């Protein structure tokens, strides 16, 4: 049994890392918004999905032009990534302005309901546009960076199988890491980052310190959504095919990752995301072996939700979060 | 002109004129429904008469009696005229099922303020509990007894389904209670999905639910030797359960428990400080809300005669939430209206519209892209409803009202009691002396 | 006070609308009144001819709308061809298309509408077995005959309902046919079986697995995926651990396409095999070049192989200005079977309108009906004894694939 698990381990680690990177960056969006507004932005998964659609549409558009053949794929990729991130960031700001800002002083149930509503609207609008333009809402992008890389784990020890992946995997991981490092720098080292941290600590006091709270919240939404949108592009590149409903469950899992790492904590979200991706991939590959065939890969979503429930019960502040006392 | 208006208003506000107009309205719509081949408008208007009734200046008892009369006798009779009779009854039954579920969710979300996004799980528990035992499915794991059970068992399963759903509610509630506010929404959502995934996969190692294949040929309920198979028969079953549900929910709302729910909703810490047992109160909300849903699950399983996990997706939970938000969180009449509106929109209006558009494009009158088909707009519509209502009318169509107490009268009563106590005390003292 | 005012307004407004509705519906009912005499009390008529409606139920919206639309159009074509014949017999045929959205609940609620319409004498449907099973329970209540052009699950006919028929092969025929091809023709020794956890996918994959095991192949693993997912690396890792000769997937093309593509990206260059759910141009769109080396079994044959098939394709193109999909011809033949049954029942009844149950019995009794592609004879359960399974191979990334085998019962 152990040998079965070991033999696929290198590949599981690589796939888990890819999935975990997606979770981690999407989780950042949740955690930033939660940190500043104490709101679960349910629509964040759909923001991610919109990014994936915009990115794929841009890829198809640019690749379809005849004169673009000479441009290296990497440059196309960077351009698409930046444009998608910018557009989706603006979308995030718009959503905040329309659906969340007017409700800032209502009971917390109400903005949560609008968030669900917004996520439905985004799903359907994207579906509608995709179906109009493409005939079917399932969209398949062009294959990029398809070169195969194989790491010879089997030469290290016969216990392991070789692991192989596409070059797009490397690009994805590198981009995700760059984004996370940049965000960490932005939040911890810049003036805007200080303002964001101040607002999330205490909104009223921050406004007394001549911080424009609305502007800071808008910035947070822009940054969080842009990251989500960029991850969408990475996702579309890595997995190839997208539909308008990919965001919901993935968003939920990213939220679980954020809770696992400690919601409101940016580094926590990164660690939580990677951890969840690895655990999920491990479960998908090995649950059948572990339980002697009783449970299979179909239970991996149950596994993720179980992690959420366990964390919330035993360590609600997450891995890196600080316990908060309730204000009366 | 203004005089006219005022006179008209005076006339309209007068009790008897209202009664006359209302009777006229009901008679005309039911006559229209009875005589026409298929008139969805007449059917909907007849249903709408119940809403009008709600706003009339009549005693509550009279309203209940008239409403009951319309639902039990007039609607089945009036719609029996045309060939679409069973269709109306089918829609009305679905409305009944959803109203009951929405009332259950209203206890959890509206009254106790606990956002539950996995509510359909309880519906599934109820539905599966009957479906498993009313088909040969149960013989896969039950060491004794003969399955399928006879149709008479349906009536017992109404209660069993309710109880099982309540137990599921408590089981989900216990771990969830440590979790507050927004987390609760996600955790319940997770639980809802877990239950669906488990039902979808519980064909191995022991075949409990037949997995994704679903359970078919569920035994129809039997009453006085007659099998209930047609929608008009289920209509009455649903109506009776619904009447019970409404009665129970209204009683609960004004009971001590109901007031505790509202206190917990408004401020948990303050409520706890006032001596309300948080755990018990919240668990009761989960259990009671779930039990209504479980009962209707049993009816649903019997009516469909087939269930599989695709009937219990997240979307269903959200649909029920939309009903509650639309009608007015915490408001019983509001939720009934919201559930009726959403169900009719889903089943009748969107279907008719889609068929109509299909016919038009078939005959080449217009060409509407397939992507725009109204039946696909359900999500967009729900989304818009949620956002617009949350932004502009968070209290819903018919806002919740707290029972009003006459301050003067209370004071007077209190004073009387105090006086009595005082005089009693004085008497005691006298005796002692 | 404001509220009370609105009550008044509500009441008066509702009243006006009510009167209007009464007037309009009164108008329509007055036109139908004169007809309600004699024997034809319950049927609508147009001119002197009695209207007979045939309904079709298939997904006209949602993921499999293309296939559902194809069934509807095929049925429509046949109905229009037969219209004149029935006109002479004194009946006017009408098609009434319903959209089941691939959703069992929707299917049942439509079925109740269909069941209560006195003019509907038969149903073409459904595409999905999961919708077919509950909906046919309703048709059975109203004794309306249904012929499915596509539902393959064993439970569709195994429940022994008298009104349920289908003209395509069952899963426990399609699965084994695939297994036989895989083991005997491709010579595979070890097989990994995946299903998508839907009624269709599980039924098909189980049938394949059992038959393959019986033929001597080793089932080295079983896995499942969730519909709508995009990352199948978990199950692919299980496959690469055991290194089978062939992977069988019971499910639909959207998942299959991604699965095949991601497996090829991982360097798994073994053949894949699937059922009729993969028989769609969408598979090639999604998987691209990776689709090469994929085999599918399909209950749908190519219309181009026979003269009548070619004639059908011509007529279809002329009528709708588009290419027929794999199921179009089955919609066409299903309608043919129902209309044949209807005709027989009318003749038996001396030209009078038969009851719905009589029509159902007549449809079931049909022997050797020559359709455009299929020859239909129903057995006692309602399965077509002449149903065939065709095996195709994707030799290049193009749809349709090349036919490499044909299995009949």
């Amino acid at each position: 049994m152990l040998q079965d698990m070991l033999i696929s381990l290198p590949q599981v680690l690589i796939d888990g890392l890819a999935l975990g990177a997606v979770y981690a960056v999407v989780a950042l969006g949740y955690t930033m918004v939660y940190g500043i507004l104490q709101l679960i932005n349910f629509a964040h998964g759909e923001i991610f999905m919109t990014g994936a659609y915009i990115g794929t549409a841009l890829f198809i558009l640019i690749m379809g032009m005849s004169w673009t053949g000479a441009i290296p794929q990497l440059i196309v990729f960077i351009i698409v990534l930046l444009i998608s991130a910018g557009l989706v960031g603006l979308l995030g700001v718009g959503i905040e302005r329309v659906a969340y800002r007017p409700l800032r002083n209502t009971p917390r149930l109400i903005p949560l309901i609008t968030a669900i509503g917004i996520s439905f609207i985004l799903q359907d609008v994207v579906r509608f546009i995709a179906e109009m333009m493409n005939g079917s809402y399932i969209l398949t992008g062009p294959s990029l960076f398809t070169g195969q890389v194989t790491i010879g784990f089997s030469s290290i020890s016969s216990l392991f199988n070789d692991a192989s992946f596409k070059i797009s995997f490397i690009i994805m991981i590198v981009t995700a890491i760059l984004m996370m490092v940049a965000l960490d720098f932005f939040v911890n080292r810049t003036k805007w980052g200080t303002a964001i941290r101040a607002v999330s600590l205490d909104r009223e006091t921050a406004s007394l310190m001549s911080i424009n709270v609305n502007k800071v919240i808008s910035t947070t939404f822009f940054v969080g959504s842009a990251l989500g949108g960029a991850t969408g592009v990475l996702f579309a590149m890595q997995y190839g095919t997208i539909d308008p409903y990919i965001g919901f469950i993935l968003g939920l899992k990213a939220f679980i990752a954020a809770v696992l790492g400690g919601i409101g904590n940016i580094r926590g979200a990164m660690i939580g995301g990677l951890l969840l991706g690895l655990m999920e991939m491990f479960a998908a590959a090995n649950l059948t072996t572990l339980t002697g065939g009783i449970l299979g890969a179909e239970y991996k979503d149950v596994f993720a939700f179980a992690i959420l429930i366990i964390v919330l019960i035993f360590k609600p502040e997450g891995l890196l979060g600080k316990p908060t006392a309730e204000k009366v | 002109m203004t005089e006219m208006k005022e006179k008209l208003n005076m006339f309209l506000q007068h009790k008897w004129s209202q009664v006359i107009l209302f009777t006229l309205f009901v008679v005309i719509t039911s006559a229209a429904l009875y005589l026409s081949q298929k008139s969805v408008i007449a059917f909907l208007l007849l249903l709408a008469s119940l809403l009008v009734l709600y706003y009339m200046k009549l005693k509550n008892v009279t309203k209940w009696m008239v409403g009951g009369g319309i639902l039990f006798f007039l609607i089945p009779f009036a719609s029996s005229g045309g060939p679409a009779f069973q269709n109306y009854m089918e829609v009305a039954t679905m409305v009944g099922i959803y109203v009951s579920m929405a009332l259950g969710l209203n206890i959890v979300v509206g009254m106790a303020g606990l956002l539950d996004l996995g509510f359909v799980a309880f519906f599934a528990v109820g539905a599966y509990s009957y479906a498993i035992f009313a088909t040969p499915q149960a013989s896969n794991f039950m060491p004794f007894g003969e399955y399928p059970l006879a149709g008479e068992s349906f009536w017992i399963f109404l209660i069993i389904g309710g109880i099982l759903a309540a137990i599921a509610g408590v089981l989900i509630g216990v771990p969830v209670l440590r979790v507050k506010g927004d987390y609760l929404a996600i955790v319940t959502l997770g639980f809802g999905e877990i239950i669906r995934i488990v039902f979808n996969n519980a064909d191995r190692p022991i075949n409990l639910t037949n997995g994704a294949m679903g359970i078919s040929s569920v035994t129809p309920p039997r009453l006085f030797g007659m099998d209930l198979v047609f929608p008009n028969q289920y209509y009455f079953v649903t109506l009776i359960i619904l009447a019970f549900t409404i009665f129970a929910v209204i009683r609960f709302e004004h009971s001590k428990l109901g007031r505790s729910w509202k206190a917990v909703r408004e401020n948990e810490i303050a409520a706890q400080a006032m001596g309300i047992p948080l755990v018990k109160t919240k668990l009761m909300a989960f259990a009671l809300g779930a039990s209504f849903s479980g009962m209707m699950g049993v009816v649903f399983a019997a009516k469909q005669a087939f269930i599989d996990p695709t009937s219990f997706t997240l979307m269903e939970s959200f649909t029920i939430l939309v009903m509650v938000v639309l009608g007015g969180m915490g408001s019983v009449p509001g939720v009934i209206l919201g559930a009726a509106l959403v169900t009719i929109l889903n089943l009748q209006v969107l279907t008719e519209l889609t068929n109509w558009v299909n016919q038009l494009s078939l005959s080449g009158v217009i060409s509407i892209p397939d992507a725009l088909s109204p039946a696909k707009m359900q999500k967009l519509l729900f989304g818009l409803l949620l956002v617009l209502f949350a932004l502009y009318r968070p209290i819903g169509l018919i806002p919740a009202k707290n029972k009003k107490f006459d301050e003067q009268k209370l004071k007077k009563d209190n004073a009387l009691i105090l006086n009595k106590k005082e005089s009693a005390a004085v008497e005691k003292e006298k005796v002692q002396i | 006070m404001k509220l009370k005012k609105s009550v008044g307004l509500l009441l008066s407004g509702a009243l006006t609308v009510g009167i209007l509705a009464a007037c309009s519906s009164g108008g329509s009912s007055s036109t139908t009144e004169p007809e309600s005499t004699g024997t034809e009390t319950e049927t609508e008529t147009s001119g002197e001819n009695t209207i007979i409606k045939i309904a079709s139920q298939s997904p006209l919206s949602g993921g499999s709308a293309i296939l559902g639309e194809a069934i509807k159009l095929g049925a429509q074509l046949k109905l229009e061809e037969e219209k004149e014949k029935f006109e002479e017999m004194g009946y006017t045929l009408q098609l009434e298309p319903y959209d089941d959205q691939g959703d069992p609940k929707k299917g049942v609620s439509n079925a109740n509408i269909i069941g209560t319409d006195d003019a509907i004498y038969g149903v073409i449907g459904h595409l999905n077995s999961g919708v077919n099973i509950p909906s046919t329970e309703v048709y059975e209540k109203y004794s309306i005959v249904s012929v499915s052009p596509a539902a393959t699950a064993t439970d569709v006919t195994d429940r022994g309902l008298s009104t349920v028929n289908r003209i395509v092969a069952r899963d426990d025929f399609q699965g084994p046919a695939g297994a036989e091809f895989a083991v005997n023709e491709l010579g595979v020794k070890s097989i990994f079986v995946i299903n998508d956890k839907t009624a269709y996918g599980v039924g098909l994959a189980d049938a394949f697995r059992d038959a393959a095991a019986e033929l001597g192949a080793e089932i080295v693993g079983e896995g499942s995926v969730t519909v709508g997912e995009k990352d199948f690396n978990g199950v692919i890792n299980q496959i690469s651990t055991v290194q089978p000769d062939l992977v069988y997937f019971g499910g639909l093309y959207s998942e299959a396409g991604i699965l095949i593509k991601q497996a090829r990206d991982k360097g798994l260059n073994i053949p894949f095999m699937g059922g009729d759910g993969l028989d769609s141009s969408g598979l090639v769109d999604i998987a691209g070049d990776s689709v090469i080396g994929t085999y599918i079994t399909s209950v749908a044959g190519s219309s181009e192989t026979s003269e009548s098939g070619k004639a059908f394709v011509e007529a279809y193109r002329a009528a709708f200005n588009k290419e027929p999909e794999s199921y179009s011809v089955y919609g066409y033949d299903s309608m043919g079977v129902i209309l044949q049954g209807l005709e027989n029942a009318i003749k038996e009844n001396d030209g009078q309108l038969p009851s719905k149950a009589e029509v159902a019995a007549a449809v079931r009794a049909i022997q050797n009906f020559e359709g455009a592609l299929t020859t239909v004879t129903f057995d006692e359960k309602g399965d077509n004894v002449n149903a065939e399974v065709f095996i195709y191979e994707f030799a290049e990334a193009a749809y349709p694939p090349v036919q490499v085998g044909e299995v009949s019962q």
Side-chain angles (χ1 to χ4, degrees), chain A residues 7-8 11-12 15 19 137-138 140 148 161 164 166 235 239-243 246 281 284-285 288 298 300, chain C residues 62-63 197 222 224 228-231 233-234 237-238 240-241 243 254 258 261-262 264-267 285-286:
Chain A
I7 202 159
S8 62
Q11 191 70 56
V12 166
D15 295 332
L19 190 62
Y137 59 72
I138 300 174
T140 306
Q148 290 275 348
N161 256 351
S164 72
K166 291 193 297 179
F235 183 90
Y239 296 107
T241 299
I242 50 175
D243 69 42
I246 51 171
M281 200 47 79
T288 321
E298 62 268 21
K300 74 179 171 30
Chain C
K197 279 287 160 195
E222 279 187 75
S224 60
E229 237 174 39
K230 299 287 170 271
D231 180 352
N233 284 315
N237 285 338
Q238 289 181 19
S240 48
T241 311
Q243 294 288 352
S254 42
I258 305 172
K261 190 178 182 187
Q262 290 182 359
R264 298 273 187 261
D265 285 347
K266 283 264 175 69
D285 291 344
I286 294 171

Side-chain angles (χ1 to χ4, degrees), chain A residues 51-63 73-87 144 229-230 233-234:
Chain A
Y53 264 89
I54 293 178
T56 311
L58 283 175
F59 273 131
I60 293 175
L61 195 72
I62 295 179
M63 300 303 220
Q73 280 190 347
L74 196 63
I75 294 181
V76 174
F77 167 71
I78 292 173
I79 294 171
V80 168
L81 196 72
L82 289 179
I83 297 178
S84 315
L87 287 177
L144 296 168
V233 180
L234 294 178

Side-chain angles (χ1 to χ4, degrees), chain B residues 262-289:
Chain B
K262 287 179 185 170
V264 170
R265 175 187 68 191
E266 295 306 327
N267 191 332
E268 218 166 85
I269 295 167
Q272 203 170 15
M274 300 305 284
I276 292 174
L278 273 191
V279 173
K280 196 183 133 201
T281 312
K282 285 183 179 177
L283 278 185
M284 280 303 279
F286 263 100
L288 283 170

